[in-house]
Amino acid sequence: MVTEKPQAHELWLTEYPSATLKPENLAVVETRIPNLGPGMALIQNLYLTPDPELTVRRVRTWPLRTALKAGPAVGLVIASRDAKLPKGTLVRHEGGWGTYTVLGHGQYDLCTTSEHIPPQAYLGVLGQPGLLACAGVWELADVRAGETVLITPATGPFGTAAARLARLRGAARIIGCQNTTTGTGEPAVDFDIVIHHQPADLSKRLLAAAPRGIHAAILGAAPNLFVDVLGAIAERGRVAWTADTGIPAEAMTDGHLPAADLATILQRGIRVIGYRASHFQHLRDRVEGLLAPELTAGRLTTGPATRRHLADLPEELANTANGSPHRTDIYQIAVP
């Protein structure tokens, strides 16, 4: 519910972390909402999501005692002195974590919602997870009609969007791979089969599901899974690999590939491309153009957000920065 005379709260970094970010390094602070200047608008933040690229090293670059820019937000314009941004408009922005944010022209993206496109979709399948999925499926792994595709994780907005995009590209078979310790939720309906990650026999089980091998793999996963699936990649297969989907650091190896695996890549002519969301911001319009119609038609769904007060977020934000498991990807901010 939007309040007429809001009382603002912001999440601040009050001291720099040492080895790990602790909840005690963060504080929720009551602040004043500044008067709006020409061309400015006041946004009531409704949803927040942590940036998957968030690390302790990055936290140490933040200014102290100001609203954290820890990830994107979706909010509603409740007051405006910008003729192009009327009251009631929904926007996505990265202006800071708080109950309210003041934005100027060019500091936001407009969001179009409907019965089938809820606001949180712009932080999920229409946000950075969808952007990563589109870059992997559409450009880097270059999924083609009739191919067998591997996607991991098989749950969450990244896996859901990637599977739908692979189906749009004409993939004949879509295999999901899910880490049982970090994956939550139900896999998307576009998957033909979902295999749980057990390193001892993962390649064999993948080959049983795809006897001709996997032609394209989109991995939002840690290095250990990449090593385990390599044996199932077909000759001249393509692998698009990103770590920006929030895989916890505890699920990662030291990142080194054994010499035998490097030889496999060379002998089979496998193309492996690593990427980050920051490399593909130009695809934002394409993501919405491809996936918004799928949401409207009911062929793609977006999960609910979890309600949180700002006071609940220091611990979960610390878990994200430290690479520990966290309970949700998208938070619906409750008014204090």
Side-chain angles (χ1 to χ4, degrees):
M1 180 177 178
V2 177
T3 56
E4 291 297 326
K5 296 183 179 295
Q7 186 178 37
H9 294 80
E10 294 179 344
L11 185 59
W12 285 10
L13 180 69
T14 55
E15 60 180 347
Y16 288 113
S18 52
T20 59
L21 179 64
K22 299 178 180 178
E24 298 78 45
N25 301 138
L26 304 166
V28 176
V29 180
E30 186 174 331
T31 60
R32 288 187 175 184
I33 296 176
N35 293 326
L36 296 181
M40 307 298 288
L42 177 63
I43 314 300
Q44 179 175 345
N45 293 320
L46 305 177
Y47 298 91
L48 305 171
T49 189
D51 188 337
E53 296 184 26
L54 183 62
T55 62
V56 173
R57 179 181 295 180
R58 182 175 169 189
V59 169
R60 295 194 189 107
T61 68
W62 289 345
L64 295 175
R65 299 177 183 87
T66 188
L68 295 182
K69 295 185 178 180
V74 166
L76 191 69
V77 177
I78 63 169
S80 179
R81 295 189 64 188
D82 181 352
K84 296 182 179 180
L85 196 62
K87 183 177 178 180
T89 305
L90 197 71
V91 298
R92 176 177 55 199
H93 68 88
E94 297 194 24
W97 279 30
T99 48
Y100 299 89
T101 302
V102 174
L103 298 177
H105 186 69
Q107 295 180 316
Y108 55 83
D109 297 314
L110 298 177
C111 301
T112 303
T113 60
S114 68
E115 178 185 355
H116 299 286
I117 305 179
Q120 67 266 29
Y122 283 89
L123 299 180
V125 295
L126 300 182
Q128 182 161 301
L131 182 74
L132 289 164
C134 185
V137 171
W138 220 261
E139 296 210 351
L140 301 179
D142 188 23
V143 173
R144 302 161 193 171
E147 290 189 328
T148 296
V149 179
L150 172 68
I151 296 169
T152 182
T155 59
F158 173 81
T160 300
R164 180 88 293 255
L165 289 165
R167 196 63 77 190
L168 289 176
R169 294 282 281 192
R173 186 164 175 78
I174 302 176
I175 301 171
C177 186
Q178 189 65 32
N179 189 320
T180 55
T181 62
T182 60
T184 58
E186 290 296 321
V189 296
D190 283 303
F191 288 104
D192 295 295
I193 184 173
V194 174
I195 296 173
H196 292 290
H197 180 202
Q198 296 172 352
D201 62 351
L202 182 58
S203 287
K204 291 181 179 179
R205 287 185 295 140
L206 288 173
L207 284 171
R212 297 175 58 190
I214 292 162
H215 303 103
I218 300 89
L219 308 180
N224 60 338
L225 189 140
F226 171 73
V227 171
D228 295 334
V229 304
L230 195 55
I233 304 296
E235 282 201 20
R236 303 187 71 181
R238 291 95 57 205
V239 178
W241 181 11
T242 180
D244 282 359
T245 55
I247 295 295
E250 67 177 22
M252 299 182 73
T253 67
D254 60 7
H256 291 94
L257 297 179
D261 295 311
L262 292 174
T264 298
I265 293 172
L266 291 171
Q267 291 167 1
R268 295 188 192 170
I270 297 170
R271 186 179 70 189
V272 182
I273 304 177
Y275 69 107
R276 311 206 71 168
S278 55
H279 301 157
F280 289 93
Q281 294 301 310
H282 62 282
L283 292 181
R284 284 198 177 278
D285 289 344
R286 179 184 291 183
V287 171
E288 190 165 350
L290 288 168
L291 294 181
E294 298 301 303
L295 284 166
T296 300
R299 292 185 292 267
L300 179 66
T301 59
T302 185
T306 300
R307 285 181 63 84
R308 292 282 189 273
H309 292 280
L310 276 186
D312 300 328
L313 298 188
E315 182 177 354
E316 296 190 30
L317 193 62
N319 286 338
T320 303
N322 298 330
S324 302
H326 42 283
R327 286 173 287 181
T328 188
D329 290 323
I330 301 174
Y331 308 119
Q332 182 179 8
I333 301 305
V335 176

